[in-house]
Amino acid sequence: MNYILALKRLLVLIGPLSKSSTALAAFSQSDEGQYLLNFNSIQAASYAVADENLPLDMDVCKSNHNPPTREVTLQVSNGIADSATVAGQCGNDSTCIIPLGTTLQVDTSLNLGALIVRGTVQWNDDTQVNPSAFICAGYVAVEGQGKWDMDLQVKDAYIYIKDNGAVHHHLRARAFGSYASTATDYPTIDINGRELVRTWSLLSHPIRSGDNKMSLMHDAHLMGW
């Protein structure tokens, strides 16, 4: 199973529905037990749909299911690294560590075994060269004094958490998050994007098993979705 944080101009789409998606089941508020019983299959189906709607160049993220076999601490002379520098030292077979004092400026896509950030990741419209870019890894963990600073207003960006067996000692497998091991640690994740008029809506009609569309109480276009 692959987890995808798709940042479409930083509009967060986790497991987005495609036009051809079909509801396999429906649950009401009173069906909590049944929902939890079927949670794994529901989750698998939702992320399978997301996998089908990714840019073609992200197929490389789906092909490697082997856990990383080596750990690499990024080494740079001036404290600044671009994606090519990372790719030259790390790969999809490695857990890549961005150390304290080092800043990764994401300009192109990266395919890694796993990523640990103890320094800084900067990813924005200025650093990114192409209209679309991605980072895929078995997990992304921001540790210690690490910072994940992401702000895209125009370009598209994807964080793809792949199912390659990589396991973080605290966040575990297929995770994107922060971890503080001491009281003085202060890892931060800051993700900003295009402002939305509304970030949520409600169903105007129930979804039933077999349905392939949903009706919202608010207009998706007017909300900026």
Side-chain angles (χ1 to χ4, degrees), residues 7-195:
L7 306 176
K8 192 74 169 177
R9 301 191 190 96
L10 267 290
L11 169 60
V12 180
L13 306 172
I14 301 180
L17 292 173
S18 69
K19 293 182 179 178
S20 59
S21 300
T22 301
L24 302 179
F27 304 91
S28 66
Q29 285 183 308
S30 61
D31 296 329
E32 180 181 2
Q34 191 68 17
Y35 172 77
L36 293 176
L37 183 65
N38 290 277
F39 181 79
N40 288 338
S41 60
I42 295 168
Q43 189 180 52
S46 65
Y47 285 107
V49 170
D51 257 352
E52 296 171 358
N53 291 275
L54 296 174
L56 292 177
D57 59 347
M58 292 184 66
D59 284 347
V60 296
C61 300
K62 310 174 193 178
S63 59
N64 178 34
H65 297 285
N66 299 316
T69 57
R70 59 192 180 108
E71 188 174 278
V72 178
T73 298
L74 187 68
Q75 298 182 1
V76 293
S77 58
N78 61 355
I80 303 294
D82 58 11
S83 298
T85 301
V86 174
Q89 299 181 36
C90 306
N92 60 18
D93 64 339
S94 63
T95 298
C96 192
I97 301 174
I98 310 299
L100 183 65
T102 297
T103 296
L104 165 60
Q105 296 180 336
V106 180
D107 55 346
T108 56
S109 298
L110 282 169
N111 183 15
L112 305 170
L115 178 61
I116 296 175
V117 180
R118 295 170 183 157
T120 301
V121 169
Q122 292 179 346
W123 191 352
N124 52 56
D125 289 320
D126 292 329
T127 66
Q128 184 172 307
V129 174
N130 298 318
S132 177
F134 62 82
I135 289 181
C136 58
Y139 65 77
V140 175
V142 183
E143 299 181 348
Q145 303 302 318
K147 297 180 180 180
W148 186 280
D149 185 6
M150 196 170 182
D151 187 345
L152 286 90
Q153 302 294 322
V154 178
K155 298 178 180 178
D156 298 341
Y158 298 82
I159 301 170
Y160 186 105
I161 306 301
K162 57 187 176 181
D163 184 11
N164 67 347
V167 178
H168 184 264
H169 61 92
H170 182 80
L171 301 178
R172 309 308 296 168
R174 302 188 302 277
F176 175 81
S178 62
Y179 171 63
S181 60
T182 70
T184 58
D185 286 348
Y186 194 72
T188 60
I189 297 175
D190 190 7
I191 298 179
N192 295 284
R194 177 172 54 86
E195 182 178 356

